[in-house]
Amino acid sequence: MRWERQRISSPVAEAALPLDLPEPVRGSGRGGLRLPDPVPIEAGTEDAFAIEVRAKSIINRVPGESAVPFGWTVNPYRGCGHACRYCFARRTHTYLDLDAGHDFDSKIVVKVNAGALLRKELAHPRWAGEPIAMGTNTDPYQRAEGRYRLMPEIISALRDRANPFSILTKGTLILRDADLIVQAAGVAPVSVAVSIGSVDERLWRAVEPGAPSPRRRLDVVRRFADAGIGCTVLMAPILPGLSDGPEQIDATVRELVAAGAERIVPLLLHLRPGAREWFRDWLQREHPELVPLYSRLYRNGSYLPKSYQRGVLALVEEAKRRHGVRPPRSPQFRDVTGAAESDAEVEEVRQLSLL
């Protein structure tokens, strides 16, 4: 694997694979990967570990054909310990000859030089200071961040260059860096978005086993609102048959408004290859009664039918009118995530529903 040359530590010569699996052949989804020198991390799975690498670049250009409202991203991690069943980024792990299922949840690639490399790239004469989005592939505030603390140096680098940025997260670790984010917002446009698809605790435990609870994420929204930073909430993803009912949507919107969400952007579940298979297997185990519904709704591809989307989005809009969404409190914190202002714009940002 080309990326193996970037690893900090060499693989242990005789270490067994996790769970005593037999030695795989290349192309099996693990690419012959053996355990590195142990770097245990707390994550959504018991056997999670980090694979430390030194990245060659950190600011990534988004392909022009991608239907997302940002042009550049920074991702200090690959893989995610949140272990969300539906995560659309799962397929990216297959580029490393790892699988899109358990490997994505448990083998977290850590770009240990991310902060220093970002400072170098921001200082390059060709860098024009364009907005940078973080959290658009995997969460920069997943649990591994508690060990590696990459984000304080990243935010400091962006602050020192007055470079606009946005952060999308499910992680409560962002509160650790709240003061840095406020400082950065004093010199450049900065926005924060938190992903909370539902406030149903049972559903959270089932589909986002490694992520902080919705209640803790609501506290993130509340804390940033109290700090004077308008926090957008991506109500994402809304899951057919699981969180799309009128009462469920009303309960979620009510809690988001009470927490001080500046904007609420609903996004419905999309299932790309990689995530599709992993989610389907979970659905067959836990909710076999919903398999026919999902087969019908997703028979034409990764996205839900427009008619279904319109119905669910109308429920969200009704709930927002019923409970009242607070107007922006701090105009200086201009949103650079591209979160939608209305139903008509939701389609433009649906790919942000990773979290």
Side-chain angles (χ1 to χ4, degrees), residues 58-60 70-74 117-134 153-167 180-191 332-336:
I58 196 68
I59 301 178
N60 307 299
F70 45 84
W72 302 90
T73 64
V74 165
L117 186 56
L118 179 61
R119 282 191 180 275
K120 179 180 178 181
E121 294 185 359
L122 290 174
H124 196 283
R126 287 200 300 267
W127 177 248
E130 297 183 60
I132 290 175
M134 292 177 282
E153 190 173 1
I154 288 172
I155 295 170
S156 296
L158 292 164
R159 175 202 61 193
D160 294 347
R161 301 295 298 190
N163 202 103
F165 67 87
S166 64
I167 300 174
L180 275 175
I181 293 170
V182 170
Q183 292 171 19
V187 297
V190 170
S191 65
Q332 69 269 28
F333 291 94
R334 183 174 61 84
D335 192 340
V336 293

Side-chain angles (χ1 to χ4, degrees), residues 46-83:
E46 293 180 358
D47 58 344
F49 62 81
I51 301 171
E52 297 178 352
V53 302
R54 296 190 66 82
K56 295 181 179 179
S57 63
I58 196 68
I59 301 178
N60 307 299
R61 181 189 291 274
V62 178
E65 65 272 15
S66 298
V68 292
F70 45 84
W72 302 90
T73 64
V74 165
N75 294 295
Y77 301 97
R78 295 188 68 157
C80 188
H82 289 338

Side-chain angles (χ1 to χ4, degrees), residues 91-158:
R91 193 178 184 183
T92 62
H93 241 43
T94 64
Y95 307 156
L96 307 178
D97 283 336
L98 297 168
D99 69 53
H102 186 65
D103 283 351
F104 181 85
D105 300 338
S106 62
K107 295 172 179 57
I108 312 302
V109 177
V110 182
K111 302 173 187 178
V112 295
N113 61 330
L117 186 56
L118 179 61
R119 282 191 180 275
K120 179 180 178 181
E121 294 185 359
L122 290 174
H124 196 283
R126 287 200 300 267
W127 177 248
E130 297 183 60
I132 290 175
M134 292 177 282
T136 61
N137 193 42
T138 56
D139 199 324
Y141 285 104
Q142 59 178 288
R143 295 188 184 189
E145 172 62 14
R147 177 186 179 93
Y148 286 95
R149 299 181 63 87
L150 301 181
M151 287 300 290
E153 190 173 1
I154 288 172
I155 295 170
S156 296
L158 292 164

Side-chain angles (χ1 to χ4, degrees), residues 86 168-171 193-201 204 208 212-222 231-238 243 249 251-253 255-257 259 261 264-267 355:
Y86 50 76
L168 170 61
T169 185
K170 279 189 177 79
V194 177
S195 177
I196 307 174
S198 169
V199 294
D200 185 324
E201 296 276 322
W204 153 65
E208 302 168 345
S213 73
R215 298 295 170 186
R216 293 179 62 198
R217 282 178 258 166
L218 286 168
D219 189 53
V220 172
V221 177
R222 191 173 295 110
C231 187
T232 294
V233 174
L234 296 191
M235 189 172 163
I238 299 173
S243 61
I249 287 174
T252 299
V253 170
E255 294 285 355
L256 298 182
V257 172
I264 299 172
V265 181
L267 299 171
L355 300 169

